[in-house]
Amino acid sequence: MMKQHQRYWLESKKGFEENEEKISSDYWGSNNNNNINSNGYCRKQRPKFLPIFLLFSLVCCVYLFAPHLLFPYSLISEQDGVVKVDSSRKASIFTSMPYGTLQCDRTEFRTDTCLMRGDIRTDSSSKSILLFSSNKTQKSWESEEEEIIQHERIKPYTRKWETSVMDTIDELDLIVKQKGGLSDKHHHSCQVNHSVPAIVFSNGGYTGNVYHEFNDGILPLYITAQQFNKRVVFIVLEYHKWWFTKYADILSRLSNYPPINFAADTRTHCFTEVIVGLRIHGELSIDSSLMPENKNIRDFRNVLDKAYWPRIKGLMKEEELVARSTSPPSPESLSIEEFKKGREDTTPRSPKLVILSRKGSRSIINEDELVELAEEIGFQVQVLRPDRTTELARIYMALNSSDAMVGVHGAAMTHFMFMRPSKVFIQIIPLGTDWAAETYYGEPAVKLGLKYMPYKILPKESSLYRDYEKNDPILKDPESVNSKGWEFTKRVYLDRQMVRLNLRRFGTHLGKAYEYSISSSKKNKGGLL
């Protein structure tokens, strides 16, 4: 996955450079003709060139205005020399889209999106969504096949460049048919009528990995649904009940309606507006210029605050009940108490450091010594060991009340989004993971407003140091190893590597984080809301 993404950027850059070179060549080559006399002045053009000039002007006009004609519901932007259509701009994507039409945007590298407006009906048995249009056509309506005005196929998942994973995603047929034609005999009667739009997306792919769950699912869903102010229904392909249970708190902030399991719900649902596919802006990020009211990643984090606060208040009540009993408090209740004090107690306290612990590959071998060192420096330390069954509200509670977070590069670093802006995020970067660590977590953390302090380990701090010769490229030149392909990188650097921190060296990092936390705590106080 990482190498595919790297290759995409390299190919994009190469394509842009080749385009620039071609433009430059065409420009300078145009002066190499016989229209320049010996004095350096252009001869007067003959009238025969006037038609060419007019034709050139016509082509330019077509180039400039064709995107607006093809995508009247979108605003057009230009980036890296490429004209792009983005339907997630400030205006509603359905504002000027004609009733009874289907339009698709396949210009984006990461995702396809289609928009339907009119008499829309679901048909789960054929994995299709039908739009019945009254637009007149020149076709004769003598056969079922001829009734189809338009037919689009789409896999509504946000990693369309990854063929291997896209092959596992269910494909959906979007069909426009002539209303009043032969299809009326088989026209599905509406069993459920909806007065709000729908968003269709897939719950498949890499679902099960917390990074992908946020990057490919939750964030794109927020980006796409935000404009509707919760008045939108989610239609889900490859529905996973556990996913909706896990993210129920967040989803309740994005939609007021229960989701529809497309495969299991065989009823005909009727809508007037449907978006198929999700918009995505980048790795764990939001481009405010493409959002209504210039919403950004901090606005998304505010949604997380509002989503989890009711549950956290419930956990606090549970803590109060535990406090009244004779039973000793659990680690979970202790973290609740710490969180509660972080919101209500104005007395000075030691900065809180959360260590996100891993098992197996990329774990910290001397984690106990790290805890002792952090406490010696002055941190309150909480070691968090989340797994797939850990309630997200508890993780959110721990990190939201923290002043600093430490963890080794991996999917769990996604939880940096649970921290408050201006807090410290220390990502330990194992050998061979520099690009992925910065791209997937470092840069997004900075955009969120965190104080990012990357810690790149030395070869001696890697468990690979005892497995290979000191001059082996695996230790000395990880980039050359990564160039062999993603599977090789994964096998060597992700699956087989553990970390033994040089505590003296890492202690300098912790000391800076402690000093920063002390100084910033005087300016930033308070909790969730």
Side-chain angles (χ1 to χ4, degrees):
M1 176 188 68
M2 180 177 72
K3 292 303 293 180
Q4 287 177 308
H5 204 166
Q6 286 176 304
R7 186 165 62 250
Y8 154 63
W9 288 114
L10 291 174
E11 289 175 353
S12 298
K13 182 178 179 183
K14 179 181 177 182
F16 177 62
E17 290 173 348
E18 288 175 351
N19 189 47
E20 288 288 291
E21 184 178 338
K22 182 179 184 298
I23 292 171
S24 177
S25 174
D26 290 346
Y27 175 82
W28 294 111
S30 65
N31 289 332
N32 187 20
N33 54 44
N34 297 324
N35 291 333
I36 303 177
N37 63 22
S38 59
N39 294 324
Y41 292 97
C42 294
R43 295 181 193 164
K44 184 177 180 180
Q45 296 291 329
R46 295 182 181 180
K48 68 180 181 179
F49 289 104
L50 182 59
I52 298 176
F53 175 78
L54 293 175
L55 179 61
F56 177 79
S57 300
L58 179 61
V59 171
C60 289
C61 290
V62 171
Y63 176 81
L64 288 172
F65 295 107
H68 296 273
L69 297 174
L70 292 172
F71 297 96
Y73 57 93
S74 305
L75 296 180
I76 309 301
S77 65
E78 186 171 345
Q79 182 177 351
D80 295 336
V82 179
V83 175
K84 295 184 177 181
V85 182
D86 199 315
S87 60
S88 60
R89 293 280 185 157
K90 296 176 177 58
S92 170
I93 55 181
F94 294 115
T95 299
S96 58
M97 181 174 169
Y99 192 87
T101 58
L102 159 64
Q103 297 180 1
C104 293
D105 178 6
R106 303 186 188 275
T107 63
E108 297 296 327
F109 171 75
R110 294 171 177 266
T111 186
D112 289 333
T113 51
C114 292
L115 302 102
M116 309 175 79
R117 189 167 189 264
D119 182 2
I120 304 166
R121 309 185 180 217
T122 63
D123 184 2
S124 61
S125 63
S126 62
K127 293 185 178 180
S128 61
I129 298 180
L130 307 174
L131 169 61
F132 291 90
S133 175
S134 58
N135 295 336
K136 294 182 180 180
T137 69
Q138 300 299 318
K139 294 182 178 181
S140 60
W141 308 100
E142 297 178 356
S143 69
E144 180 71 20
E145 182 178 358
E146 289 179 330
E147 291 179 353
I148 296 177
I149 300 173
Q150 185 178 354
H151 185 184
E152 301 283 350
R153 292 185 174 90
I154 184 172
K155 294 185 175 185
Y157 189 64
T158 55
R159 302 190 77 83
K160 79 173 188 181
W161 78 92
E162 285 197 61
T163 304
S164 59
V165 71
M166 292 303 290
D167 286 343
T168 70
I169 302 298
D170 287 346
E171 188 172 60
L172 196 62
D173 288 304
L174 309 181
I175 300 172
V176 181
K177 290 190 174 185
Q178 176 74 28
K179 183 182 290 186
L182 183 63
S183 64
D184 275 355
K185 295 179 180 178
H186 309 290
H187 197 178
H188 302 296
S189 298
C190 294
Q191 293 173 288
V192 184
N193 284 287
H194 298 269
S195 60
V196 298
I199 294 177
V200 183
F201 65 96
S202 174
N203 207 202
Y206 292 124
T207 299
N209 175 294
V210 68
Y211 165 78
H212 290 289
E213 287 170 4
F214 270 93
N215 188 70
D216 305 336
I218 295 296
L219 264 169
L221 197 56
Y222 169 82
I223 290 170
T224 309
Q226 182 62 25
Q227 61 186 308
F228 298 115
N229 296 318
K230 300 173 66 176
R231 292 185 52 79
V232 63
V233 175
F234 299 147
I235 301 178
V236 188
L237 278 64
E238 300 173 72
Y239 181 99
H240 295 296
K241 185 177 179 180
W242 65 263
W243 187 88
F244 282 90
T245 300
K246 180 177 181 179
Y247 293 104
D249 293 325
I250 301 175
L251 297 174
S252 68
R253 305 301 306 181
L254 302 181
S255 172
N256 287 330
Y257 306 90
I260 297 173
N261 181 345
F262 186 75
D265 191 339
T266 59
R267 296 175 297 175
T268 299
H269 291 263
C270 294
F271 300 88
T272 57
E273 298 176 344
V274 171
I275 302 175
V276 185
L278 303 177
R279 290 288 179 182
I280 181 171
H281 294 164
E283 309 301 330
L284 296 178
S285 61
I286 295 174
D287 185 343
S288 61
S289 69
L290 303 178
M291 291 292 290
E293 302 177 3
N294 296 107
K295 294 292 180 75
N296 57 36
I297 192 65
R298 293 197 187 191
D299 293 297
F300 172 73
R301 197 195 170 284
N302 290 338
V303 169
L304 298 184
D305 275 347
K306 294 174 182 178
Y308 287 120
W309 179 233
R311 173 57 181 153
I312 289 173
K313 287 195 293 186
L315 292 173
M316 288 180 176
K317 290 181 180 179
E318 291 178 15
E319 158 59 16
E320 291 173 0
L321 294 175
V322 171
R324 296 190 190 119
S325 68
T326 56
S327 303
S330 64
E332 289 83 0
S333 64
L334 286 174
S335 65
I336 294 170
E337 188 62 31
E338 290 172 5
F339 177 86
K340 191 175 179 181
K341 288 181 179 179
R343 281 187 57 83
E344 300 175 355
D345 193 353
T346 58
T347 59
R349 64 179 180 85
S350 299
K352 176 183 174 183
L353 171 70
V354 172
I355 299 174
L356 272 178
S357 180
R358 289 182 62 96
K359 295 180 180 179
S361 66
R362 284 167 287 151
S363 60
I364 301 174
I365 298 173
N366 53 343
E367 186 178 276
D368 291 342
E369 296 173 36
L370 170 61
V371 172
E372 293 178 7
L373 173 63
E375 289 176 340
E376 288 177 7
I377 289 173
F379 281 109
Q380 301 177 56
V381 180
Q382 179 181 356
V383 179
L384 204 58
R385 298 182 174 88
D387 56 33
R388 292 187 179 183
T389 64
T390 304
E391 186 180 359
L392 281 182
R394 294 186 181 275
I395 301 174
Y396 195 90
M397 181 175 55
L399 289 172
N400 186 80
S401 64
S402 71
D403 298 283
M405 164 183 156
V406 171
V408 181
H409 167 69
M413 293 300 94
T414 305
H415 294 120
F416 76 77
M417 291 192 296
F418 292 2
M419 301 181 71
R420 287 172 288 167
S422 81
K423 302 306 179 182
V424 179
F425 171 40
I426 302 177
Q427 180 177 205
I428 299 170
I429 304 175
L431 296 180
T433 65
D434 298 37
W435 182 88
E438 294 300 319
T439 302
Y440 297 140
Y441 307 111
E443 294 173 6
V446 172
K447 292 177 183 178
L448 181 61
L450 297 179
K451 177 67 174 178
Y452 178 51
M453 296 184 178
Y455 179 83
K456 184 178 178 180
I457 72 168
L458 299 175
K460 288 185 177 180
E461 294 175 276
S462 171
S463 61
L464 299 176
Y465 191 76
R466 65 173 182 263
D467 298 330
Y468 297 91
E469 297 292 335
K470 294 179 181 180
N471 293 323
D472 193 294
I474 287 177
L475 300 177
K476 301 291 289 186
D477 188 13
E479 288 189 12
S480 67
V481 177
N482 287 335
S483 67
K484 295 180 180 180
W486 166 247
E487 289 302 323
F488 198 85
T489 296
K490 182 177 183 297
R491 185 168 65 252
V492 174
Y493 293 121
L494 300 184
D495 295 344
R496 293 177 49 197
Q497 183 174 196
M498 292 187 286
V499 175
R500 180 178 288 278
L501 292 171
N502 180 330
L503 294 178
R504 187 168 185 174
R505 180 171 176 255
F506 191 72
T508 302
H509 245 60
L510 281 181
K512 292 179 181 179
Y514 178 83
E515 293 173 1
Y516 176 86
S517 298
I518 290 293
S519 62
S520 65
S521 65
K522 298 176 182 178
K523 303 176 183 179
N524 303 291
K525 292 184 180 294
L528 273 172
L529 303 176

